[in-house]
Amino acid sequence: MKMITLLVDGREEKADGLVVPHGTTILGWERKPHGWCRGEACVPAFRAASAETGDGVDLVRFAELLGRRAVADEEEGVVAIGEAAETAPDRAPDFPELTALRGTKVALVFWASWCGCRYDLPAWDALHRELGGYGFSLLSVSLDRDPADAAEWLADVAHPAVVDADGRIAELYNVINVPTVVWVDEEGRIARPQDTMTATDTFRSMNGLSSERAVAALRRWVVDGDAGATTRRLRPPTDEERLARLHGRLAAWLLRRGRAEAARRHLDEAAALAPHDLAVRRGLMPLAGVDPFGEEYFRLREELESMGIAIYRPLPDWQGEDV
């Protein structure tokens, strides 16, 4: 029997193949007479029957019963299992660093060392210091797949920071490029969904965005409580985006183990499913030994522009304001 590695909930687990023997706990769920249960939550037996066979329980089908997509590479012995579809898009998906800040306004700033937005970190950090007295905190989330790539940029910051090496937080917040900023209120609700905001004008010639207007909007929210956004719900991922991220997770796992050819298959599949997802397509270039600021990235930009796909996706409410 070939052991399978499960990439799930930010960790690796082992399973006895894609069909798990009966009587085995799966993803924390246990089979009981009336169905599969985890704590007080249960999947009724009649629903679970679609994942059960005479030989055991199909892992991929079982994950989908839980609202989680899964992508398996049986040849390479690995399965990536995604997050459950968000049922309350006005709530900010929790992760430990965010939970620790409950009771304060939080600006989640998604960035990466492979993006010019890394140069904005000192300016974001200055806002964290300036506005802290108003019950505000910045929390930066690096999408670097190698934490060492982010380390030098985080060395002197005062704000809390996390490196999302497995892409799980990006999946929870449906982040398809950086910089992306999400505002979360004191009660853990979305105050502003995914927005392209900058803290300096370093790359304004490329992104066309005014950092002055973005920062003015942030200050209004923190000081006056005016979030400004016309919607306070996260943009939900499409099914294709969810699958693309799982292919990206498999590609990252394979690249770290030197299995470049197998990784390329998953990178190609991710690109076909969600060509606009630069968090996957550009974000995995460093692991693949490709310069994320080089020719391949600019070819990717040209490809997306020729398809009419936006590189940056700012919300419109703050861009034309007077400051």
Side-chain angles (χ1 to χ4, degrees):
M1 182 178 297
K2 183 177 180 179
M3 293 294 291
I4 294 289
T5 298
L6 300 182
L7 309 181
V8 56
D9 297 333
R11 63 181 185 273
E12 294 185 15
E13 296 181 359
K14 295 294 183 180
D16 296 325
L18 290 176
V19 176
V20 179
H22 291 296
T24 304
T25 298
I26 303 176
L27 306 179
W29 293 72
E30 182 181 359
R31 187 65 163 97
K32 296 186 177 182
H34 58 285
W36 285 85
C37 298
R38 183 177 184 176
E40 296 182 358
C42 290
V43 176
F46 74 89
R47 286 190 59 213
S50 64
E52 297 174 328
T53 71
D55 297 325
V57 182
D58 186 296
L59 267 176
V60 172
R61 290 182 183 174
F62 185 78
E64 291 180 349
L65 282 177
L66 304 178
R68 307 179 73 165
R69 296 308 309 265
V71 173
D73 188 326
E74 189 169 8
E75 183 178 346
E76 299 296 329
V78 61
V79 179
I81 297 178
E83 302 299 316
E86 182 57 61
T87 56
D90 61 329
R91 301 293 303 180
D94 265 330
F95 56 95
E97 293 81 2
L98 178 62
T99 304
L101 296 172
R102 189 61 44 80
T104 63
K105 290 185 173 76
V106 180
L108 291 176
V109 175
F110 292 87
W111 70 284
S113 70
W114 43 261
C115 167
C117 55
R118 61 189 180 179
Y119 293 112
D120 276 12
L121 273 182
W124 287 120
D125 197 57
L127 286 165
H128 169 79
R129 298 168 190 261
E130 172 195 337
L131 298 173
Y134 292 93
F136 169 77
S137 179
L138 186 113
L139 172 55
S140 66
V141 182
S142 164
L143 300 196
D144 285 288
R145 299 290 179 156
D146 183 348
D149 291 338
E152 66 173 294
W153 303 96
L154 294 171
D156 299 317
V157 301
H159 67 264
V162 60
V163 180
D164 185 28
D166 66 354
R168 185 177 178 223
I169 302 174
E171 180 182 348
L172 286 169
Y173 282 83
N174 192 24
V175 174
I176 58 176
N177 196 13
V178 287
T180 291
V181 178
V182 176
W183 297 352
V184 180
D185 73 11
E186 298 90 335
E187 297 179 7
R189 297 173 303 196
I190 298 297
R192 174 177 289 274
Q194 306 96 321
D195 198 355
T196 304
M197 283 183 156
T198 60
T200 74
D201 286 340
T202 306
F203 295 97
R204 188 170 180 175
S205 62
M206 294 182 67
N207 58 43
L209 299 176
S210 165
S211 64
E212 186 179 10
R213 290 173 177 167
V215 169
L218 176 65
R219 286 198 178 101
R220 276 199 305 276
W221 175 54
V222 173
V223 177
D224 302 326
D226 177 13
T230 57
T231 177
R232 299 193 178 187
R233 298 164 68 90
L234 288 172
R235 182 182 69 83
T238 65
D239 195 50
E240 290 78 10
E241 287 172 329
R242 294 175 73 192
L243 289 173
R245 290 193 177 96
L246 295 181
H247 281 287
R249 191 167 299 166
L250 290 178
W253 188 86
L254 291 163
L255 285 168
R256 292 185 183 110
R257 287 154 182 78
R259 305 183 202 174
E261 185 176 347
R264 174 50 59 185
R265 294 199 307 271
H266 291 287
L267 288 172
D268 289 344
E269 187 64 29
L273 285 163
H276 58 283
D277 193 332
L278 288 162
V280 171
R281 299 186 67 188
R282 189 185 186 190
L284 286 171
M285 286 182 183
L287 276 184
V290 176
D291 182 359
F293 297 98
E295 292 182 3
E296 187 160 333
Y297 168 59
F298 285 99
R299 282 197 295 269
L300 174 56
R301 283 182 64 102
E302 290 175 3
E303 170 197 326
L304 297 182
E305 288 168 0
S306 70
M307 297 169 67
I309 294 175
I311 301 293
Y312 306 106
R313 302 187 181 201
L315 297 179
D317 61 291
W318 54 270
Q319 295 177 68
E321 66 188 11
D322 294 326
V323 295

